[in-house]
Amino acid sequence: MIRSELIQIIADENPHLFQRDVERIVNTIFEEITEALARGERVELRGFGAFSVKKRDARIGRNPRTGESVRVEEKAVPFFKTGKLLRDRLNGIEE
């Protein structure tokens, strides 16, 4: 599913809302999650999962084309851990 499909589904299920308002709401949610992660904060959506940031240490990598060693700088990467409810639904366990 892509963002526009999500917006369309929410708009279809909520006919009292204008599509442009649904789009603004969805974009605001994603922006807030992104900004919180950029600040190094954890974002938890109960029943769905938690987003956090993990640090990857600097290392020596290898260019796959030439085989040459390349220094890879330390970087922050987003990490998502599924919630129990989502995990159970994916495995066919209903509560």
Side-chain angles (χ1 to χ4, degrees):
M1 175 183 298
I2 60 174
R3 185 185 304 229
S4 60
E5 292 172 336
L6 175 63
I7 291 167
Q8 188 61 52
I9 290 169
I10 294 171
D12 291 346
E13 290 179 1
N14 297 279
H16 61 284
L17 296 174
F18 291 111
Q19 183 155 349
R20 67 177 181 269
D21 293 334
V22 173
E23 186 173 351
R24 193 174 305 133
I25 291 166
V26 170
N27 288 338
T28 300
I29 291 168
F30 288 145
E31 286 171 16
E32 288 301 318
I33 290 171
T34 302
E35 289 176 15
L37 291 174
R39 292 189 302 266
E41 298 174 3
R42 182 172 184 268
V43 178
E44 182 177 337
L45 304 172
R46 295 283 167 119
F48 183 71
F51 296 92
S52 59
V53 177
K54 291 197 173 197
K55 296 283 185 196
R56 287 213 180 135
D57 293 333
R59 62 186 173 82
I60 301 296
R62 188 164 306 281
N63 182 329
R65 186 172 291 162
T66 64
E68 165 185 352
S69 292
V70 178
R71 179 164 166 64
V72 178
E73 299 295 323
E74 176 182 87
K75 61 183 165 183
V77 293
F79 179 76
F80 178 74
K81 181 176 180 183
T82 58
K84 184 179 183 322
L85 185 63
L86 176 59
R87 223 177 7 258
D88 288 348
R89 270 190 92 178
L90 292 175
N91 290 303
I93 302 169
E94 297 289 329
E95 287 188 17

